[in-house]
Amino acid sequence: MNKIKYDKLVSECEKELQPIFQKIDEQEYQNSLKVLNAFKELNISESDFNGTTGYGYGDIGRDKIDKVFAKVLGSEDAIVRSQFISGTHALTVCLFGLLRPNDLLLSITGKPYDTLDEVIGIKENPSSLKSFNIKYDQIDLINDNFDIPQIIKYLKDNKVKVIEIQRSRGYSTRNSITIDKIKTVVAEIKKISPETIIMVDNCYCEFVSDIEPVNSSIGCDIMVGSLIKNLGGGIASNGAYIAGRKDLINLVAERLTVPGQGAEVGPSQNMNKEILSGLYHAPSAVSSSLKTMILTSLILEKLNYKVSPSSSDIRADIVQTITFNDPNKLIKFIQSIQKYSAINANFKPIPEDMPGYSDQVIMASGSFIQGSSIEISCDGPLRFPYIAYLQGSLTYQYGKIAIVNSIWELINEER
Ligand SMILES: *Cc1c(COP(=O)(O)O)cnc(C)c1O
């Protein structure tokens, strides 16, 4: 294919996607409205940007941010802190906050995200939940659906303290979990075991639909996400949130800080403005990311690549996978994404060992914030079938530049 034909293909794809893009715009509108209403209701003022230092007592802006997130996500309460150093840390705090020795943790979406292996004790670690005698079991998905009969049987036979649902695919090949599927499984779980806490790893899923799992109409008890993904809007320079039932948020707050002090401490320093501004930009960043991913999938489908989700699938997260079946193509594509990123465009990423991951991983992250994946980014473990996990883009145009050029370099390489 020559460049003229390729450019024509790209513009035809964009034209074909207009109806889908319009739906994404409507979604962005609804989520923007939610954010704006929450800011107004909590009377967010310039003085809320003034953070605290030291213990962080009386941090009015921080306390309002917790309420803004709860309001936007539809939960009773939330804790949003830069003291969470990553999404994995927030998930860890949540699990350790909710589980006690001899309790049972059950994942109903198969094996959780790689970085949780040592947290749970799937991979031995003297600081794992397992080392505190907290038991773990999992029920795999069947064709990307919850195995509801198996879940029901398991709950009848065992007392489960926490059920974990991971929505996004992580480094697996399955699809992400839509809100409708969660609603169905939650109703079944609550019928049999109402006291079981349903916890959601919501990384990459916020604002992709118009409702979040902790909304009372869906019924999950608590959920966790990172601020260097969707809700940070590319502006929050670190941190994570946990949102859900008030009693549970108190437990995790006391695990993050100190029993008896919980969410009352934790200086925001100068993060309040960043976190608020990030949330303000998040609906637009998620919308740009989705459009970039959908354009990627359609172009690659037309070029006979294997992608997931497809351009017409309903999406639950901002991740796009491309299966290369070839390590060199995977490496080449990720290096191209880096080349068309804003920061470190002249770096050439190579596969490396990473803490928490069992295979070597190659990552393109030419982002303003280290490791941010709401900005255009692409990564993949060096293992068969050599899948690239592409996500993010703060604007559609920057995303388009990166993917259109990277795909062009990929197909040129093949000739
Ligand atoms: C990103 C992600 C996490 C947490 O990752 P961090 O890099 O620690 O922020 C957890 N679960 C899923 C599904 C993720 O996508």
Side-chain angles (χ1 to χ4, degrees), residues 86-89 91 113 115 166 168 170 201 203-204 226 229 357:
S86 63
T88 302
H89 182 213
L91 287 160
Y113 196 68
T115 56
Q166 179 187 309
S168 189
D201 175 351
C203 282
Y204 285 136
S226 166
K229 293 181 178 173
Y357 295 92

Side-chain angles (χ1 to χ4, degrees), residues 85-91 112-116 164 166-171 174 201-205 224-229 239-240 317 319 357 363 371 373 391:
I85 55 114
S86 63
T88 302
H89 182 213
L91 287 160
Y113 196 68
D114 298 46
T115 56
L116 292 176
E164 204 226 6
Q166 179 187 309
R167 293 188 68 192
S168 189
R169 64 181 77 206
Y171 281 153
R174 68 163 168 90
D201 175 351
N202 206 41
C203 282
Y204 285 136
C205 296
V224 182
S226 166
L227 293 189
I228 62 168
K229 293 181 178 173
D317 66 12
V319 180
Y357 295 92
M363 289 193 174
S373 46
Q391 61 271 315

